[in-house]
Amino acid sequence: MTTRPTPADQMRLPLQSDLPDGAQGFVVSDCNRAAVEALADWPNLIGGVMSICGPAGCGKSRLGQIWAERIGAVAIQGTEAALIDPMELDGRPVLLDPAREVDDETLFHLINLAQAPGGALLMVARSAPSSWEAALPDLRSRLDAVRTFPMGVPDDAVLSAMLEARFAERGIRPQKDVIPYLLRRIDRSAAAAADVVERLDALHKPVTRALAREVVEGAEENGELFEERIIPSPLGVEGVRRSLTDEGDVTGHSLHASESRPATRSGSAKRPRSRTEGR
């Protein structure tokens, strides 16, 4: 006779099948080190509430999953939190991702439950809880008090690891100069890494620098993957812009919008902004 899963178990987030189990393959670098170190021994006896935030594709959801696996936390996906009886989570650590989608009343109860012995709440979102709107005054004060650790866009070490993993999943061994070439030309996100590898694989040819250049230039002409982009700051206050030069080099990974320089091609207007990406 099988045991019927509890509501809390039903709400567990499935791990992405294309990612290595646990922390294997997760590269720690300057862009994510503060968040990684903050979660390394949390919650221990401290408990409470913590948040990690950052732009789409920076690895925040992956880091949250690694934390949840390590301590056996209940993983809840956004709005599904309202479907769970809060008392089922009493005394248990919880991963809430994306946390911004949760209604005020449910979020208020989850934060309060995190203060109980054995409880903890890790919230994952693009912006810091202090920047969220909250109609409940008591929730507003609690969000302002949440310890938040921002994650930046993937730097060379992290983006290189993302590309290597995507190539390995497809059994592709690119020439050694392909990844360094792509690092200077694709958008710095997990989605862009997966997309460019998929495009290369679809050509069914040896992955050389020349082939990578063909794919990149084709995507640029179509206004895909490698466009000028406004990236929200992890604190949700200001935008930051990353621009690409004619050669495709990144001119700034975290410049304020007022400090950025537009990307142009010879005699042409600056590239259009890209579509909004997923988490």
Side-chain angles (χ1 to χ4, degrees), residues 24-217:
Q24 181 182 357
F26 188 89
V27 175
V28 180
S29 190
D30 291 342
C31 63
N32 58 28
R33 192 180 310 279
V36 171
E37 292 179 351
L39 294 178
D41 58 355
W42 186 74
N44 273 347
L45 300 177
I46 303 175
V49 184
M50 187 180 293
S51 170
I52 55 176
C53 60
C58 71
K60 58 187 180 295
S61 290
R62 172 82 186 284
L63 181 59
Q65 290 170 350
I66 291 171
W67 174 83
E69 282 189 315
R70 178 175 62 83
I71 68 169
V74 178
I76 304 175
Q77 185 173 6
T79 54
E80 293 180 345
L83 304 177
I84 299 178
D85 180 357
M87 298 314 297
E88 295 287 339
L89 304 175
D90 189 20
R92 302 181 66 182
V94 173
L95 168 66
L96 189 59
D97 180 17
R100 190 67 184 88
E101 295 181 358
V102 182
D103 66 89
D104 282 10
E105 185 175 353
T106 300
L107 187 57
F108 178 77
H109 288 309
L110 289 175
I111 291 176
N112 285 343
L113 285 172
Q115 313 305 322
L121 175 63
L122 176 61
M123 299 191 294
V124 180
R126 292 193 183 186
S127 58
S130 59
S131 70
W132 302 352
E133 294 182 3
L136 299 176
D138 288 342
L139 176 60
R140 172 76 276 149
S141 62
R142 283 163 173 76
L143 291 177
D144 289 340
V146 173
R147 292 174 293 163
T148 300
F149 296 88
M151 295 174 62
V153 294
D155 56 20
D156 282 359
V158 173
L159 187 57
S160 178
M162 289 178 175
L163 287 166
E164 290 173 359
R166 301 293 83 83
F167 279 125
E169 289 161 9
R170 296 172 179 269
I172 298 174
R173 293 185 178 181
Q175 289 187 352
K176 62 181 181 181
D177 56 351
V178 169
I179 289 180
Y181 174 84
L182 293 174
L183 287 178
R184 300 192 301 274
R185 286 159 175 83
I186 70 169
D187 185 36
R188 290 182 172 259
S189 70
D195 201 349
V196 73
V197 171
E198 181 179 358
R199 291 168 185 251
L200 288 165
D201 190 23
L203 297 176
H204 305 293
K205 298 178 181 179
V207 178
T208 63
R209 187 180 183 278
L211 187 67
R213 181 177 180 179
E214 177 184 329
V215 168
V216 168
E217 290 182 348

